[in-house]
């Protein structure tokens, strides 16, 4: 008798400090690898997860999404609890549930949200050194906010894409891009239908230059129009970036988008 | 010709995760020890710092205060910058300045503020595992807030003091004790003229029991009156605690206390 296969979806949170990013690679331990190893040992079969967002080395996550197929009889919603007992303390599964066999975290209409955090003060703050990028010069948050608005909407983000990236199209939609400050921490929050390689970090690097006065908010339009990586600011360091979560839209939501 | 001695005051921030607390001790590296070593090598003379708050193993700080005496000709306000070049990334001096030769961080009228942070949600959150205490059961913040008010004022805090502590008096004044919640993090913020050994952690452990319904807010009065460590809740774990800062009052401020 053949065993029944089910597809399980997990929400995965991690502190990326000690990992070489999400995707399995030869020179260092990755999130994907740790999940594969512990799921395989927990379920007694070879498990390979597929992630929605293949975050870079040092990038954190509160809500990355991953799927895998399994023949286990363990209920899907119990897997998160059992797996967390085995995982190191810097990776914690927040939820697990069964999804249809053809559900895929990347080939699906979705809204991803990232936050880039800048610690903007005179001295470094040890307790926030792992999840914020320390920037010593004073930044004008009001200017950064005005610049962020120019990024909203459907644009060709070629200027905000790492030069070596291989993609069919560099057109993406940003639904919202905001810049807020609480105490010494400036948060750039971006929600979009997809992101190019290094896109959020280049947005952050560019908005930092706006905050420092090297770029005027209005210039974002020209930077987008240039379709040239050289036109935008530098790529801000990975450790300031956190993948916040992914919202998946049902077909019906897509149909009614803009109507409701 | 004898060299002139000056006393320097520093504000010290640290992530306490990798240290056995502030005070030098045989079995593990401490904040005090690291400061002594790097200050001695920077200034070319044996330096011994004295701290205001001798925080426990795992406790963090944004604003502990330390002093030391030195014959260096380096201006006191430049020492922080030079020292930070040598310190590990989990200890950062936020300020340094000269103070009178008889100024001492502990024998001085002051207000210390601590925060105890509780991550109150179903699953652990890896990015906040080092500076929050994860508590899975739901807590009633409104009850915790009402209980906190009973702790304000001058009281004998013997019930909130570790049993082995050697002190002249267990009477202390709490100027403010508040409980607030932002997202999944509950923050207990306490300002007082001094704290007994483990006092904030026992307050946190007790307020957690109030939030969970084991203790009613009004019972705090009886717990205080008992003058017995057994009457209060457990000592909450060290890593949820952060020393936020110390405000020193001038003599004139003390004279007018309660008047202005």
């Amino acid at each position: 008798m053949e065993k029944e296969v089910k597809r399980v979806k997990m929400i995965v949170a991690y502190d990326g400090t000690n990992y070489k990013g999400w995707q399995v690679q030869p020179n260092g331990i990755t999130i994907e690898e740790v999940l594969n190893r512990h799921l395989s040992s927990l379920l007694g079969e070879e498990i390979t997860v597929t992630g929605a967002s293949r975050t870079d080395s040092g990038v954190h996550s509160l809500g990355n999404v991953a799927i895998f197929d399994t023949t286990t009889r363990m209920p899907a919603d119990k897997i998160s609890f059992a797996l967390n007992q085995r995982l190191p303390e810097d990776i914690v599964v927040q939820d697990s549930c069964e999804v249809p066999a053809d559900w895929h975290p990347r080939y699906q209409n979705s809204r991803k949200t990232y936050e880039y955090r800048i610690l903007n003060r005179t001295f470094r703050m040890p307790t926030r050194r792992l999840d914020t990028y320390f920037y010593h010069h004073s930044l004008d948050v009001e200017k950064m906010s005005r610049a962020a608005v120019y990024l909203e909407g459907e644009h060709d983000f070629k200027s905000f894409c790492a030069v070596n990236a291989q993609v069919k199209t560099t057109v993406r939609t940003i639904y919202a891009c905001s810049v807020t400050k609480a105490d010494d921490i400036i948060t750039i929050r971006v929600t979009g239908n997809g992101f190019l390689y290094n896109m959020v970090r280049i947005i952050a690097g560019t908005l930092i230059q706006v905050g420092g006065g090297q770029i005027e908010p209005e210039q974002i339009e020209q930077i987008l129009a240039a379709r040239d990586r050289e036109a935008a600011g530098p790529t801000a360091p990975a450790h300031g970036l956190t993948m916040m979560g992914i919202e998946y839209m049902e077909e019906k939501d897509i149909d009614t988008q803009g109507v409701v």
Side-chain angles (χ1 to χ4, degrees), chain A:
Chain A
M1 201 183 92
E2 215 170 294
K3 283 183 180 175
E4 218 174 295
V5 176
K6 67 180 164 205
R7 179 158 287 192
V8 178
K9 172 191 170 195
M10 302 189 297
I11 311 279
V12 190
Y14 45 87
D15 172 348
T17 307
N18 300 316
Y19 298 93
K20 292 280 175 197
W22 177 272
Q23 203 159 18
V24 170
Q25 54 130 300
N27 38 321
I29 195 160
T30 65
I31 311 290
E32 191 178 52
E33 190 182 333
V34 173
L35 289 172
N36 287 345
R37 190 197 326 144
H38 290 290
L39 275 169
S40 299
S41 110
L42 172 68
L43 303 176
E45 59 183 346
E46 191 70 22
I47 300 286
T48 308
V49 304
T50 301
S53 182
R54 286 160 290 187
T55 54
D56 273 342
S57 181
V59 173
H60 316 291
S61 163
L62 299 193
N64 206 345
V65 170
I67 52 153
F68 63 90
D69 292 329
T70 175
T71 63
T72 186
R73 292 168 68 180
M74 188 185 292
D77 62 322
K78 297 282 178 275
I79 292 175
S80 55
F81 294 92
L83 184 58
N84 283 335
Q85 299 294 323
R86 294 165 180 255
L87 287 172
E89 63 175 5
D90 50 9
I91 305 179
V92 180
V93 174
Q94 304 288 309
D95 186 49
S96 57
C97 65
E98 196 171 337
V99 287
D102 62 348
W103 194 91
H104 191 286
R106 285 201 298 269
Y107 312 136
Q108 199 89 13
N109 208 285
S110 69
R111 292 175 183 232
K112 290 183 183 172
T113 298
Y114 283 90
E115 281 188 4
Y116 195 92
R117 297 195 198 101
I118 303 152
L119 181 67
N120 189 34
R121 62 201 304 277
T122 310
F123 289 96
R124 291 173 186 276
M125 187 54 78
T127 50
R128 296 307 297 269
R129 74 188 185 284
L130 302 178
D131 71 337
T132 62
Y133 165 50
F134 171 69
Y135 192 80
H136 158 263
H137 298 289
S138 162
L139 294 170
D140 185 332
V141 177
E142 191 273 323
K143 273 192 168 180
M144 293 171 76
S145 293
R146 279 200 286 130
V149 175
Y150 289 98
L151 295 165
E152 293 181 342
E154 187 183 89
H155 299 287
D156 185 337
F157 285 98
K158 193 156 185 236
S159 298
F160 294 87
C161 179
V163 280
N164 53 342
Q166 306 268 320
V167 279
K168 269 183 276 182
T169 168
T170 46
V171 173
R172 294 290 184 278
T173 299
I174 289 187
Y175 302 112
C177 184
S178 66
V179 184
T180 52
K181 187 169 185 178
D183 296 325
D184 297 324
I185 295 175
I186 297 171
T187 301
I188 300 168
R189 187 179 166 97
V190 199
T191 300
N193 66 348
F195 291 91
L196 300 163
Y197 189 53
N198 281 354
M199 182 165 151
V200 183
R201 290 168 55 190
I202 300 170
I203 288 176
T206 306
L207 292 182
I208 288 169
Q209 290 202 332
V210 171
Q214 298 100 301
I215 298 176
E216 287 306 307
E218 307 74 48
Q219 280 177 263
I220 298 292
E221 277 193 317
Q222 293 148 245
I223 293 171
L224 281 165
R227 302 184 68 254
D228 176 6
R229 174 67 190 89
E230 294 288 306
T235 307
H239 70 278
L241 185 62
T242 302
M243 153 33 38
M244 299 299 289
I246 308 172
E247 198 190 345
Y248 288 96
M249 259 77 72
E250 301 292 329
E251 286 300 326
K252 60 176 169 54
D253 294 332
I254 299 163
D255 291 339
T256 56
Q257 239 180 329
V259 177
V260 278

